[in-house]
Amino acid sequence: TNLVFEDEGFFDEQEELRFQEAEKTLDKLSDACKKLLNDFYVLTLSMEAIAEKWQLKSQKIAKDRKYKCLNKARKMYQNMNL
């Protein structure tokens, strides 16, 4: 198995390909989705903080938007692998 060195970890080629496909999928998302997912997963902002930052009326709206963005990403990723 060929291994790829990536940020202090080793990935086999299959894992590296899946990672690259996931990155391509995220690149295709709208800027709003990318920013929202970044706020949640990278910056680890709470739904409350995201709702406030994005001037949304409630945490539920923020959560719904995150869910929709994740579903878009999931469907795009699945379509890439058909």
Side-chain angles (χ1 to χ4, degrees), residues 12-47:
D12 66 29
E13 288 181 17
Q14 286 283 73
E15 288 175 301
E16 182 64 22
L17 287 173
R18 284 193 300 271
F19 182 75
Q20 289 173 1
E21 288 174 354
E23 279 186 318
K24 288 178 190 175
T25 299
L26 292 175
D27 285 342
K28 292 178 183 179
L29 287 175
S30 69
D31 284 342
C33 275
K34 283 189 254 186
K35 289 176 184 176
L36 190 143
L37 294 175
N38 185 72
D39 285 351
F40 186 76
Y41 290 105
V42 177
L43 301 179
T44 63
L45 297 179
S46 67
M47 284 293 119

Side-chain angles (χ1 to χ4, degrees), residues 53-69:
K53 178 180 178 178
W54 289 69
Q55 299 178 350
L56 302 172
K57 292 183 179 188
S58 71
Q59 293 178 47
K60 183 181 181 329
I61 293 170
K63 188 175 180 179
D64 288 346
R65 286 195 183 177
K66 180 183 75 102
Y67 176 79
K68 287 177 184 176
C69 289

